[in-house]
Amino acid sequence: MIFIKTASEIDKIRRSSRLASQTLDYAKSVIQPGMTTKKLDQLIHKFITSHGAVPATLGYKGFPASSCISINDTVVHGIPDEQVIMDGDIVKVDVTTILNGFFGDTCRTFKIGKVRPEAEALTDTAYEAMMLAIGTVHDGSYLGDIGAAIQGLVESRGYSVVRDFVGHGVGKQFHESPNVPHYGRKGTGVKLRDGMIFTIEPMINEGAWQVKVLDDGWTAKTIDGKLSAQFEHSLLVDGSEAEILTVSA
């Protein structure tokens, strides 16, 4: 069931989403070479809880941390541990906040120090693909328009779109309907309506789109060891355009 949000719900989701974005602003200000992903996660946890919210990932289906931190060939759901962040890494930091019972979900890929041109180009493409897809969203457009926009840009540059993980509705629950694939055909799928809120979060691989999940049941890596980049926004369908909710201001 796809929930059309009320004005009151939208306001609360907007507040949680803004805090999630502010959390990534904070992460950007503290992340540095030599820091472990566990230390970064601890700082993120403190930031979220100090603002009266709860990190949604902590304890979710047994996940042991307050954020997902995925480096280089880790696509998504990296578990913070003693891994050291190095100069030249691309680091995906994915946070979800619960504020007053409503969720806000966002992810960015941070370039650490001097990254290789290949990593720079991949990361930039992931961001461009997300923004291009957001530009297709309006009342009366289709979920397939989102996937088609992402897939068209990404594959034209020789990259691939991960198909194992998708965007999703967000609101009173971490994951709601609809699922939002990042590949597909224009004019297909669910027709979008005002008041729908969901994420667009393409994972873009340098090589093959397939991933492998490690024995921890969470960490997903590229199957060929090549790089992966991701960005994510939560957004509201609002008339002729989408309102990006995961903005800091």
Side-chain angles (χ1 to χ4, degrees), residues 143 146-147 165-169 178-183 198-201:
L143 280 181
I146 294 168
F165 305 101
V166 297
H168 53 87
N179 287 335
V180 183
H182 302 115
Y183 60 94
F198 52 83
T199 70
I200 294 178
E201 48 183 297

Side-chain angles (χ1 to χ4, degrees), residues 22 37 115:
Q22 290 168 341
T37 55
V115 303

Side-chain angles (χ1 to χ4, degrees), residues 4 12 66-68 80 106-107 130 132 185 223 236 247:
I4 302 299
K12 291 173 182 176
S66 297
S67 61
C68 299
T106 187
C107 175
M130 177 187 66
L132 182 66
R185 291 187 298 111
I223 200 164
L236 165 70
V247 292

Side-chain angles (χ1 to χ4, degrees), residues 151-167:
Q151 187 176 11
L153 175 65
V154 168
E155 293 183 354
S156 74
R157 296 185 182 179
Y159 304 126
S160 63
V161 181
V162 172
R163 302 189 177 206
D164 299 71
F165 305 101
V166 297

Side-chain angles (χ1 to χ4, degrees), residues 71-72 84-91 110-115:
I71 299 178
N72 295 334
V84 175
I85 297 167
M86 306 292 288
D87 186 83
D89 284 343
I90 56 172
V91 182
F110 297 116
K111 305 168 189 174
I112 308 301
K114 185 174 178 58
V115 303

